[in-house]
Amino acid sequence: MNANTLIALAVLASPIGLWATGSGADAGKVRIAPCGEALCGRVIDAARLRIDPDQRDVRNHDPALRGRPIRGLTVLKDFTGGPPVWIGAEAYDPATGEGSKNVQLRLTSPDSLAVKGCVAVFCRTKMWTRIR
């Protein structure tokens, strides 16, 4: 195998890349990339951004953060571990203004990522699809 093939295989065995957070026209896009020693995810696109590209984090529970632009917002923070599971410090959903601590990313296939977050005893898992 050449170096490019090895790099491509390493990326497929990790969540690094561009992900659709849902399906259809409402799907957002999050890019997961290295940030320091960990992985982070930032908003690239969302249905609300296609309507208003200057959309702000107006649903945030902290009034001081409501002026942040959604585009480029860090929604996954400080993920380490792998493969196939990475544990992170935090996930944030700008659509609801809700955040989760102790979040888990599980690569269920090279193109499918389970994002699990919990608030108190209630947990939710969303499936993301890799965009090629």
Side-chain angles (χ1 to χ4, degrees):
M1 278 187 227
N2 66 32
N4 288 338
T5 302
L6 291 174
I7 290 169
L9 289 173
V11 168
L12 290 176
S14 83
I16 292 172
L18 185 61
W19 295 89
T21 62
S23 61
D26 291 336
K29 294 178 185 172
V30 170
R31 180 171 308 285
I32 298 176
C35 56
E37 297 292 318
L39 297 177
C40 296
R42 291 184 177 12
V43 174
I44 300 300
D45 184 41
R48 290 180 11 205
L49 290 173
R50 290 187 285 274
I51 295 167
D52 177 6
D54 194 39
Q55 184 71 45
R56 301 295 164 154
D57 192 13
V58 296
R59 294 187 174 102
N60 197 299
H61 295 287
D62 182 346
L65 300 177
R66 291 181 184 156
R68 301 185 301 179
I70 297 293
R71 188 177 311 279
L73 184 66
T74 299
V75 293
L76 299 174
K77 190 173 178 183
D78 297 332
F79 282 80
T80 59
V85 177
W86 290 261
I87 303 296
E90 187 176 335
Y92 175 69
D93 182 357
T96 63
E98 299 290 328
S100 297
K101 304 283 186 196
N102 301 318
V103 180
Q104 181 184 91
L105 303 177
R106 177 179 296 276
L107 201 58
T108 59
S109 78
D111 294 328
S112 185
L113 184 68
V115 180
K116 180 181 178 183
C118 300
V119 176
V121 297
F122 302 102
C123 297
R124 178 175 76 165
T125 301
K126 290 189 76 177
M127 296 305 295
W128 291 7
T129 304
R130 190 183 300 270
I131 299 171
R132 300 223 179 242

